[in-house]
Amino acid sequence: MSAVPVDRAVPAPGGGPGPGPASAPPSVWPASALPAPGGDITVAGVSLTGLAERYGTPTYVLDEDEVRARARAWRRALPDAEIVYAAKAFLCRAVVDWIEEEGLGLDVCSAGELELAAARGFPPERIVLHGNAKSPDDLRTALRLGVGRIVIDSESEIAGLAARVEGPRPQQVMIRVLPGIDAGGHRRIRTGAEGQKFGLSIAEGDAEDAVSRILGRPELELVGLHCHLGSQITTPGPYARAVRRLVAFLARIRDRYGIALRELDLGGGFAVAYRPGDPAPAPVAYARRIDVELLRACHEFDVPVPRLTLEPGRSIVGPAGVALYRVLSVKRSAGRVFVAVDGGMSDNPRPALYGARYAVRLVGRATQAPTHEATVVGRHCEAGDVLAEAVELPGDVRPGDVLAVPASGAYHVSMASGYNATGRPPVVAVAGEGRSRLLVRRESVEDLLRRDVGL
């Protein structure tokens, strides 16, 4: 049976037919998601209700085949580029294996992510380390493991890194520059504009000063430029503008220093759909525009075409994830309906941080009740602990029901906290037809107590 997007095929919660394929917006569910009897949904042939029963809730479900397919889609879209998975979206040992097997590199931001990759034998030459404030441990670990490139994010980092290089060969580095482009879904995830903590400004001359300093350090080899514009960028236009500004800077470096830098890393930030109808261009849509602009700009400025690197993270793992919660209470107040679940901002801080919006569906119970607008809230002691606002749920939703939140694979578990000592949720992989396995176990009370060593 071929997969039909769940938000096209599952009957509407009120019992009527769902939207037809011709009029339906793009699905926010994994491609393997299918409707099942009794109001259930299966992902990779595995019942979501069954997973909630087996592993408890909250639980995060990750479709391995979806992750792999999305990684391959990026490689097909840019076969001559280096595709590097942004580990900050979500990383565990199994994901490290999947990424390596699909031929992608790995972008990390800490010694912890580096050690996790090393524990699985990930080739260090395919790792990129960046971050606006790398600790001494981050740099020591990167040099000890032999990572391929380290991205310089400030002038103060140059001397400290150079002093730690002990080998006969210089460490390859890139400079993270600010192209002065404001792009992204929320002001807190826009990282390419002037006046914020990331990168070195091209316009103000900081990036060029860093070039000069690096070229004066024989322990370092400058190989290229890096930028990251932001997250949830829904059109390829900002990337095209960044390409033009970075290629112009490459030409300026060539003219002043007589060197042709051979790499250009545009970072990530490619949008995914969190709700039906959200814009989420395919990798090929970004790739075509970037390729055209890169060739045009290099011809205009008469510089060699550099090797391109992209760092998709969310767009690989985000749509592959589904979060499962169990309803604890239903409350009506001031004309609003609040459906409280057993998770919240401790496992998904994105709504509180960025006002992120999600789709929510009741699973595991068929109902003929008409839908009403509800707000799905968490269990934590914060008024801002809201998981989903203004979602349509059956009017008879009740304690014990299971709710599924698609597009939950990125920046949920990776940003999870221990707030209220509830413990971080497990991650379960599904693959093939009906197979599931635990990737990351639930954090227990015993885990929390073991960390508390005070008397």
Side-chain angles (χ1 to χ4, degrees):
M1 182 178 183
S2 61
V4 178
V6 168
D7 44 5
R8 300 182 187 183
V10 171
S23 61
S27 177
V28 297
W29 294 82
S32 68
L34 288 169
D40 200 4
I41 294 171
T42 63
V43 176
V46 183
S47 159
L48 292 184
T49 305
L51 290 172
E53 293 293 336
R54 180 177 177 183
Y55 296 101
T57 53
T59 284
Y60 279 76
V61 181
L62 196 61
D63 185 337
E64 176 182 346
D65 295 334
E66 179 91 4
V67 173
R68 290 179 179 274
R70 288 177 170 273
R72 289 193 294 270
W74 275 107
R75 291 196 67 200
R76 286 195 303 270
L78 287 161
D80 297 324
E82 184 175 9
I83 306 300
V84 176
Y85 172 70
K88 59 184 179 288
F90 173 67
L91 195 68
C92 67
R93 286 183 287 187
V95 170
V96 172
D97 293 343
W98 301 346
I99 292 304
E100 181 185 4
E101 290 163 7
E102 296 302 332
L104 274 63
L106 198 61
D107 156 42
V108 300
C109 300
S110 71
E113 291 175 344
L114 277 169
E115 294 287 9
L116 185 53
R120 302 305 294 171
F122 194 92
E125 66 273 12
R126 286 163 50 193
I127 296 177
V128 178
L129 171 69
H130 68 74
N132 71 295
K134 304 175 194 68
S135 72
D137 190 39
D138 295 336
L139 296 177
R140 281 193 297 267
T141 304
L143 293 171
R144 172 172 56 82
L145 295 175
V147 302
R149 275 97 75 210
I150 296 176
V151 180
I152 299 293
D153 199 280
S154 66
E155 287 192 17
S156 61
E157 195 172 82
I158 297 169
L161 174 59
R164 288 180 169 86
V165 176
E166 297 179 353
R169 290 181 298 178
Q171 171 63 51
Q172 292 188 343
V173 299
M174 307 179 81
I175 297 176
R176 179 163 178 173
V177 301
L178 285 174
I181 294 172
D182 191 14
H186 188 279
R187 65 179 180 83
R188 292 179 181 170
I189 53 175
R190 296 178 182 180
T191 56
E194 302 286 346
Q196 42 84 30
K197 72 173 190 175
F198 291 106
L200 292 158
S201 173
I202 295 175
E204 295 182 1
D206 298 330
E208 193 162 335
D209 288 345
V211 171
S212 178
R213 288 174 182 266
I214 292 171
L215 292 178
R217 302 301 304 234
E219 306 92 343
L220 306 178
E221 179 188 358
L222 181 61
V223 297
L225 302 179
H226 179 288
C227 78
H228 182 74
L229 301 180
S231 294
Q232 280 297 91
I233 299 173
T234 58
T235 67
Y239 297 97
R241 294 196 297 275
V243 164
R244 184 170 185 79
R245 294 184 188 182
L246 267 63
V247 169
F249 188 45
L250 289 177
R252 191 189 314 169
I253 293 170
R254 177 207 55 203
D255 294 343
R256 180 171 179 180
Y257 300 103
I259 61 170
L261 299 183
R262 59 183 185 269
E263 297 186 23
L264 188 63
D265 188 332
L266 293 180
F270 312 101
V272 305
Y274 284 98
R275 296 185 298 169
D278 284 353
V284 69
Y286 294 103
R288 286 172 179 163
R289 183 73 184 276
I290 290 170
D291 263 345
V292 167
E293 193 61 40
L294 181 61
L295 293 174
R296 179 185 293 131
C298 288
H299 176 75
E300 179 178 341
F301 289 99
D302 191 27
V303 298
V305 178
R307 186 184 187 192
L308 187 66
T309 299
L310 294 182
E311 300 174 353
R314 183 197 315 265
S315 65
I316 289 176
V317 76
V322 178
L324 300 177
Y325 301 99
R326 198 170 293 277
V327 175
L328 298 180
S329 68
V330 179
K331 181 186 297 183
R332 290 164 176 81
S333 177
R336 300 178 66 187
V337 177
F338 295 92
V339 179
V341 298
D342 55 0
M345 65 190 302
S346 64
D347 67 87
N348 180 10
R350 293 188 67 253
L353 288 172
Y354 319 129
R357 304 291 297 274
Y358 289 85
V360 181
R361 183 178 285 277
L362 171 70
V363 296
R365 179 169 69 83
T367 175
Q368 297 297 316
T371 64
H372 62 188
E373 188 175 284
T375 298
V376 179
V377 299
R379 59 174 299 186
H380 298 291
C381 297
E382 299 284 343
D385 182 23
V386 175
L387 286 175
E389 290 199 70
V391 294
E392 291 293 319
L393 287 173
D396 63 350
V397 64
R398 57 187 183 240
D401 282 341
V402 175
L403 301 183
V405 181
S408 294
Y411 301 106
H412 288 211
V413 176
S414 65
M415 296 175 71
S417 73
Y419 190 39
N420 293 152
T422 54
R424 287 169 292 184
V427 180
V428 177
V430 294
E433 284 297 325
R435 294 186 292 112
S436 70
R437 62 187 174 109
L438 189 65
L439 299 185
V440 180
R441 67 170 174 81
R442 188 181 303 280
E443 190 173 37
S444 67
V445 173
E446 289 73 21
D447 293 325
L448 300 175
L449 292 175
R450 275 195 292 271
R451 295 186 65 241
D452 189 343
V453 297
L455 298 178

